[in-house]
Amino acid sequence: MRIIEQEQIIEAVAKMCIESNIYPDKDIHEGLVAARLRETSPLAQFALDSILKNADVAKRENLPLCQDTGMAVVFVEIGTEVHVNGNISEAINAGVRKGYKEGFFRNSVVADPLNRINTGDNTPAVIHYDFVPGGELLITVAPKGFGSENMSAVIMLNPSDGISGVEDFAVECVRKAGANPCPPIIVGVGIGGTIEKAALLAKQALLCKRDDSLSQHESMETRLLERINALGIGAAGFGGETTALSVKVLTYPTHIAGLPVAVNIGCHASRHARCRI
Amino acid sequence: MVKHISTPLRDETIVSLRAGERVLLSGDVFTARDAAHKRITALLDKGELPPFEFDGQVVYYAGPCPAPPGRVIGSVGPTTARRMDSYAPQLIESGLKVMVGKGERSSAVIEAICKFGGVYLSAVGGTGALISQCVEKSELVTFDDLDTEAVYRLQVRDLPLVVAIDSQGGCIYERR
């Protein structure tokens, strides 16, 4: 049994909150640079230039890329040979509290969705646990802004709706989102499982790299990306060539009667950090 | 090619702006998001004055990050304007003419913009660090208990914006 102290988790989570909010995701940044080279619309060029300049300013001035520093979504893979001294959820929340305070980030979480009083420290995080073999703890911190989260959607399709039903729903979701989720976006599509499993898959799909060669759904991803970019929404919704930088699809076995589909949209400042303890 | 405009904005300037034009805005903007809009419309419902004079002034849909030491403000980009659509027509009827945010507006807001000669300007979403560099001064106006959602007066210089919806009903989002 390997012992991991709460303090190690707190420090690691705090550091990941700060770094992920300030430094642009390398993969997305490369996609944005390529999009700028392709772009022909002057307004979209202006938007992409602003987005790229913003990344430089954030790095130079130690400021978060976006004022919406998000609700902290944390994925934890716990090795079965690991023992955490103390409460792991409390340690993660303490890390979020510390990171958001030290980073001078916005507190965007309300304690009750109906009474809406700000918790004042951006906690609690949304935490997903999984168990894996081994003696390590793998933590991913993915702060999620709500401009894009609000534009996400779930539907319970019929099996007869098939591949075209899934693709039409995803494209319609992006069309309806328009300029709101801060395009160029990344799109995560979760198909199968149950309603919550599909939503979780869609969120996990946002953590995939653009050119993830392991994808089993490359043809669907390619078709969706083409249809979404044909919408012409463009950077900042100003009209242009690139509405999405990537579409990633994850699937899971499902029930004979169902075809759950979730679409999770990530903005151009989508971010995450990973660390192994 | 890029127009310079400054507050207080004159009616002639506001109605001269056309969808698709780029502008650089200088002067004061007042931040207000969902929670502040709810309170402002409650004041208007009671026949009371809004927390700042609407005439010629600009509302910026934004909730900034706290200012790190030695800075005026943290990152402060636009938030989704659509969430303010249920409040905006009432503010426009009460004299507000210029709104800054991101994303499409409802047909009720577009109608109010046309009827009262207003304009809706879009900043580039997700560029809060860059926009913070345009802010020269920040002061709390009211609703301090709302923290980031309070109303702040920001003195800005050359805030880069695009005219998204103009007083003639011109709209950059219409092609979809």
Side-chain angles (χ1 to χ4, degrees):
Chain A
M1 215 30 124
R2 196 177 148 232
I3 308 287
I4 293 178
E5 301 295 333
Q6 263 191 319
E7 273 309 311
Q8 290 172 270
I9 297 170
I10 295 171
E11 290 306 320
V13 168
K15 188 164 175 264
M16 284 190 283
C17 287
I18 292 173
E19 287 180 356
S20 60
N21 271 302
I22 294 175
Y23 301 106
D25 181 276
K26 190 167 170 280
D27 186 49
I28 292 176
H29 195 74
E30 285 167 6
L32 289 166
V33 171
R36 173 62 182 87
L37 290 174
R38 274 197 307 274
E39 188 56 62
T40 54
S41 145
L43 284 183
Q45 287 175 346
F46 158 69
L48 288 164
D49 285 340
S50 302
I51 291 166
L52 294 170
K53 240 189 277 176
N54 183 66
D56 291 339
V57 172
K59 258 190 283 189
R60 190 185 70 220
E61 308 284 329
N62 237 7
L63 289 167
L65 290 159
C66 180
Q67 74 291 338
D68 186 352
T69 42
M71 185 164 196
V73 179
V74 182
F75 291 95
V76 190
E77 290 177 34
I78 308 172
T80 46
E81 289 157 39
V82 167
H83 173 78
V84 175
N85 257 345
N87 183 319
I88 185 165
S89 298
E90 273 177 21
I92 289 167
N93 281 318
V96 169
R97 194 175 294 123
K98 182 174 156 74
Y100 277 70
K101 183 159 191 271
E102 290 176 1
F104 291 90
F105 296 161
R106 196 175 80 180
N107 296 323
S108 307
V109 175
V110 293
D112 182 297
L114 301 174
N115 291 339
R116 308 201 71 82
I117 307 294
N118 199 303
T119 61
D121 61 6
N122 217 54
T123 67
V126 174
I127 310 172
H128 303 284
Y129 293 103
D130 203 0
F131 290 96
V132 293
E136 288 181 325
L137 197 61
L138 180 67
I139 306 178
T140 305
V141 174
K144 190 66 169 82
F146 260 54
S148 56
E149 192 73 355
N150 278 340
M151 296 296 114
S152 304
V154 183
I155 192 169
M156 305 304 277
L157 292 176
N158 288 319
S160 62
D161 293 320
I163 291 174
S164 67
V166 171
E167 294 185 3
D168 289 349
F169 175 69
V171 173
E172 186 54 17
C173 182
V174 174
R175 192 192 62 76
K176 273 200 277 193
N180 296 326
C182 291
I185 54 173
I186 58 172
V187 183
V189 183
I191 310 170
T194 47
I195 190 166
E196 86 285 5
K197 181 65 182 179
L200 186 58
L201 287 171
K203 177 76 74 207
Q204 286 165 328
L206 293 180
L207 304 176
C208 297
K209 278 206 156 54
R210 277 182 307 133
D211 59 353
D212 191 347
S213 53
L214 294 175
S215 174
Q216 294 158 24
H217 309 283
E218 213 179 321
S219 56
M220 182 185 273
E221 291 169 355
T222 307
R223 278 195 304 273
L224 281 174
L225 187 59
E226 271 175 22
R227 284 181 67 184
I228 286 167
N229 283 332
L231 293 171
I233 294 165
F238 293 164
E241 315 275 338
T242 307
T243 298
L245 298 171
S246 76
V247 180
K248 289 291 155 196
V249 176
L250 292 177
T251 60
Y252 192 81
T254 190
H255 191 279
I256 49 172
L259 179 52
V261 182
V263 176
N264 200 188
I265 298 181
C267 62
H268 62 73
S270 291
R271 61 224 107 147
H272 64 271
R274 276 205 174 105
C275 105
R276 213 173 273 282
I277 301 177
Chain B
M1 167 150 162
V2 182
K3 253 188 205 172
H4 288 258
I5 56 173
S6 37
T7 66
L9 286 159
R10 291 167 23 182
D11 288 350
E12 307 90 90
T13 309
I14 296 169
V15 299
S16 75
L17 298 172
R18 288 291 170 269
E21 271 185 319
R22 282 176 55 192
V23 297
L24 292 168
L25 172 71
S26 298
D28 291 340
V29 299
F30 293 85
T31 67
R33 296 173 45 103
D34 316 47
H37 272 77
K38 195 173 172 182
R39 292 198 189 173
I40 293 170
T41 50
L43 289 173
L44 296 173
D45 284 342
K46 283 190 284 184
E48 292 177 23
L49 288 173
F52 55 93
E53 172 69 46
F54 282 169
D55 189 35
Q57 298 302 333
V58 177
V59 162
Y60 182 25
Y61 302 142
C65 280
R71 288 191 181 281
V72 173
I73 200 164
S75 291
V76 58
T79 195
T80 303
R82 194 171 83 162
R83 294 197 320 275
M84 269 52 79
D85 281 358
S86 52
Y87 306 109
Q90 189 182 357
L91 269 62
I92 297 169
E93 273 169 42
S94 308
L96 177 75
K97 290 198 169 153
V98 188
M99 294 152 286
V100 176
K102 70 167 165 100
E104 294 86 348
R105 308 305 304 263
S106 68
S107 48
V109 174
I110 297 175
E111 272 167 38
I113 286 172
C114 294
K115 186 172 171 193
F116 294 94
V119 71
Y120 167 59
L121 307 164
S122 172
V124 178
T127 63
L130 184 65
I131 290 173
S132 76
Q133 310 288 295
C134 304
V135 181
E136 296 179 327
K137 208 171 146 190
S138 163
E139 67 178 28
L140 178 77
V141 175
T142 188
F143 310 144
D144 59 332
D145 60 304
L146 293 179
D147 191 21
T148 184
E149 295 210 67
V151 173
Y152 296 90
R153 187 169 70 85
L154 309 184
Q155 188 184 311
V156 298
R157 182 183 292 273
D158 293 339
L159 180 66
L161 305 168
V162 169
V163 180
I165 299 168
D166 67 35
S167 61
Q168 309 300 301
C171 174
I172 61 166
Y173 308 115
E174 249 173 9
R175 71 204 165 274
R176 294 189 287 276

